[in-house]
Amino acid sequence: MSTSRRERLPLAAAGVVTGLAGLAASLLAAALLHLPGNPVTAVASVVRDLTPGPVAEALIGLVGHADKPLLIAGTTLVVLLVAGAAGVLQARSAPLAYALLGALGVIGFIATSSAPGTETGGGTGSGGSPAAAIPVVIGFVVWALVLPMLVGVAQRYVEVRAAPSASPAAVGHSRRVFLERSAIVVVGALVLGGASRALASGRDRVEAAREALRLRLGRGTTPSGADLGVAGQASWRTADSDFYLIHTALAVPQVAPDDWSLRIHGMVERELTISFAELARRERTEDWITLCCVSNEVGGPLIGNAYWSGVPIRSLLAEAGVKDGADAVKQTSEDGWTCGTPLAALTDPDRQAMLALGMNGEPLPIEHGFPVRMVVPGLYGYVSATKWLVDLEVTRFDDFAAYWTERGWGEKGPVKTESRIDVPVDGEAVDAGRVAVAGVAWAQHTGIDKVEVQLDGGSWQDARLGTVPGVDTWVQWVLDTELDAGEHTAVVRATDRSGYTQTAARADVLPDGATGWHSRTFTVQG
Ligand SMILES: Nc1nc2c(c(=O)[nH]1)N[C@H]1C(S)=C(S)[C@@H](COP(=O)(O)O)O[C@H]1N2
Ligand SMILES: [Mo]
């Protein structure tokens, strides 16, 4: 049964209106979750990335700086057209309409999850980026709920109008019902859209405040010889955009410096409350420090090295006056996450534990804890690196449990000595001749003494180490070797400056960090 154009129009209109509602709902969800993008911008950026270079250049030549708004408008238009088609389809076959919507949802899902995202929830680390998919799912649900309702009244109107016996009053009534319902959905969509704009401007406001800060932060110069420059090896300094992200917050807290203050209390002589301006005026410390996550599997990516600038925690604790008997500092973030750090690690004059304001020469990126986070050399992030820090309580380990320790993770989290092979990657086919096996090794606050590589079960060979500025960072290593054609396996192990050589015994990340040797198997081409 084919529908005429006259019949299709109200159905398509119902579909488009429903599409608006779905889009508005997913924009609002994205804004509520403080995600960096939303399904529309994600799809638009995939379209941009898939557009062949010359075509993109020609288009940009044509429209100039309007390219981004046009891309987003174009993507929105396509989504609404598909939504209109789904409206027409819904009247004939609901499953087909949902399949069409579902396909659109899947595209949105793939686009959002391929955009650089955040690891949230689930353990202190690993896992996909579930938050990024939530807006797509919410948009889809709203769409799927509104569609049958609106198409139903549109269809009723079409039928009444087409019936030979219909009175003008009956036609008018069904039209009115259809228009009223559509208007309600449109108004709802506008309200949701407006709310999402308002929320997004909250993030923009904090971002603007961040960019307006003038903190005189050192960027740090990579020591010469630290970067061995092997292709595929993790760069010694981790760029902010490549730095792993771990937090339980689904919505990244948005804290403007002017609204921030830190309370230091508990077992202290004098309780302190410090504003951001006061903190920024204090004496600073800066250092290269490698941060890693206890959830990092052997060979995993949850580690990064940056130049951090901030205020020594030691000086603040001294000012507050720590009372006898305390052995821990409990931290609380703006979003209520908690962690506990051994007091000794924070008062140790040889350890640059800091309230960090800067990362690689810029104010902290919002998702890395803006405006203030903790950084403590030598400890896993979950027991030391509180982001969006607002509260420090001097206390005793016996008197509290922190977020992850309540969930079975170790109370104290000193970083375990580990090493990782970056190249060759597993299954890689490398050219015959000299092969560089290279990676990183770390034992923060102890330092790496030696890295050894074992090829095909042979003897351990010393790798060449990059230079490091101290004991708090990872070190790059490389072994240049000649290998015959065929399959090869490389294993790496590090020895730290306490003389400890990494154990081969595999331990799971739970409760206090993985152990074991990382290995890679690759092929040398004949
Ligand atoms: N507020 C808050 N701070 C937090 C966390 C968190 O969930 N919430 N996770 C911690 C963990 S487990 C790690 S490994 C580090 C990660 O810091 P990054 O996201 O800047 O790499 O932050 C720590 N600080
Ligand atoms: Mo972590």
Side-chain angles (χ1 to χ4, degrees):
M1 217 200 350
S2 77
T3 36
S4 75
R5 196 169 165 171
R6 193 172 138 75
E7 287 170 8
R8 277 201 302 263
L9 203 60
L11 299 174
V16 170
V17 167
T18 312
L20 274 179
L23 273 181
S26 63
L27 291 187
L28 181 61
L32 277 173
L33 296 176
H34 297 297
L35 294 172
N38 60 56
V40 177
T41 53
V43 172
S45 55
V46 169
V47 171
R48 178 200 58 210
D49 294 345
L50 292 181
T51 308
V55 176
E57 274 160 37
L59 288 176
I60 291 170
L62 268 178
V63 300
H65 283 304
D67 59 331
K68 278 189 200 75
L70 276 179
L71 188 60
I72 288 172
T75 305
T76 308
L77 190 67
V78 170
V79 169
L80 292 180
L81 286 177
V82 174
V88 176
L89 262 185
Q90 164 78 18
R92 286 199 241 167
S93 153
L96 269 184
Y98 288 125
L100 187 63
L101 296 185
L104 206 57
V106 167
I107 293 172
F109 177 81
I110 293 171
T112 44
S113 49
S114 63
T118 308
E119 303 205 33
T120 37
T124 81
S126 51
S129 38
I134 293 174
V136 179
V137 173
I138 289 180
F140 181 78
V141 168
V142 166
W143 208 343
L145 290 176
V146 175
L147 192 66
M149 183 278 286
L150 211 55
V151 169
V153 290
Q155 212 170 1
R156 173 101 192 101
Y157 164 53
V158 168
E159 278 163 16
V160 171
R161 192 175 56 179
S165 57
S167 68
V171 174
H173 173 74
S174 65
R175 185 202 295 125
R176 210 162 41 248
V177 170
F178 168 55
L179 291 179
E180 273 170 16
R181 296 276 174 94
S182 301
I184 290 170
V185 175
V186 169
V187 168
L190 289 178
V191 169
L192 295 185
S196 71
R197 292 293 313 174
L199 279 167
S201 75
R203 185 185 165 100
D204 292 349
R205 186 176 66 87
V206 174
E207 188 54 56
R210 177 181 172 272
E211 273 159 30
L213 286 176
R214 294 286 169 268
L215 294 173
R216 286 172 288 107
L217 303 163
R219 191 173 178 272
T221 314
T222 300
S224 86
D227 250 312
L228 298 174
V230 178
Q233 191 174 25
S235 135
W236 190 77
R237 179 209 296 270
T238 310
D240 294 1
S241 54
D242 293 335
F243 209 99
Y244 77 95
L245 277 176
I246 300 287
H247 44 256
T248 55
L250 278 180
V252 171
Q254 307 293 316
V255 187
D258 286 348
D259 302 334
W260 182 90
S261 69
L262 174 71
R263 182 170 168 235
I264 302 177
H265 62 113
M267 296 172 70
V268 294
E269 304 293 346
R270 285 163 297 277
E271 206 177 296
L272 301 179
T273 300
I274 304 164
S275 70
F276 186 82
E278 284 161 353
L279 188 72
R281 276 197 297 272
R282 293 183 70 102
E283 183 211 339
R284 301 267 181 86
T285 179
E286 311 196 320
D287 220 340
W288 290 102
I289 298 165
T290 296
L291 180 62
C292 75
C293 182
V294 68
S295 294
N296 197 31
E297 309 276 350
V298 171
L302 304 179
I303 178 164
N305 184 43
Y307 193 75
W308 303 94
S309 335
V311 172
I313 297 172
R314 201 184 328 123
S315 70
L316 288 161
L317 289 176
E319 202 170 307
V322 173
K323 287 187 178 161
D324 285 348
D327 66 356
V329 174
K330 177 188 176 192
Q331 299 131 60
T332 307
S333 67
E334 159 79 16
D335 61 308
W337 184 82
T338 53
C339 94
T341 308
L343 176 65
L346 303 180
T347 51
D348 179 358
D350 294 329
R351 206 191 288 238
Q352 294 309 336
M354 64 174 99
L355 297 182
L357 312 171
M359 180 178 186
N360 289 327
E362 300 288 332
L364 296 175
I366 293 176
E367 57 278 18
H368 285 291
F370 182 78
V372 180
R373 79 173 303 170
M374 275 195 23
V375 177
V376 185
L379 303 180
Y380 286 123
Y382 83 107
V383 289
S384 67
T386 306
K387 307 195 271 190
W388 316 291
L389 178 73
V390 294
D391 188 286
L392 289 179
E393 181 185 351
V394 179
T395 175
R396 275 190 295 254
F397 275 113
D398 285 347
D399 294 345
F400 75 102
Y403 185 91
W404 285 117
T405 43
E406 265 174 351
R407 290 163 175 78
W409 295 79
E411 192 168 68
K412 302 193 181 129
V415 170
K416 293 181 178 174
T417 301
E418 270 293 328
S419 52
R420 180 181 83 193
I421 303 173
D422 287 344
V423 284
V425 299
D426 261 330
E428 187 177 341
V430 299
D431 291 338
R434 292 195 77 74
V435 175
V437 182
V440 285
W442 59 92
Q444 289 96 304
H445 211 60
T446 305
I448 290 290
D449 186 42
K450 182 164 76 170
V451 174
E452 297 164 289
V453 179
Q454 185 189 51
L455 291 162
D456 307 315
S459 59
W460 289 96
Q461 307 178 51
D462 278 350
R464 183 160 61 86
L465 301 187
T467 55
V468 281
V471 291
D472 294 333
T473 72
W474 63 10
V475 53
Q476 287 195 352
W477 58 265
V478 63
L479 182 79
D480 284 304
T481 178
E482 205 78 51
L483 288 172
D484 298 336
E487 196 177 81
H488 295 279
T489 297
V491 182
V492 66
R493 71 176 188 196
T495 300
D496 65 31
R497 293 190 191 170
S498 77
Y500 168 81
T501 299
Q502 239 183 283
T503 171
R506 281 268 174 171
D508 186 42
V509 295
L510 193 73
D512 56 8
T515 64
W517 293 341
H518 189 214
S519 73
R520 286 277 173 83
T521 298
F522 53 94
T523 308
V524 172
Q525 282 164 339

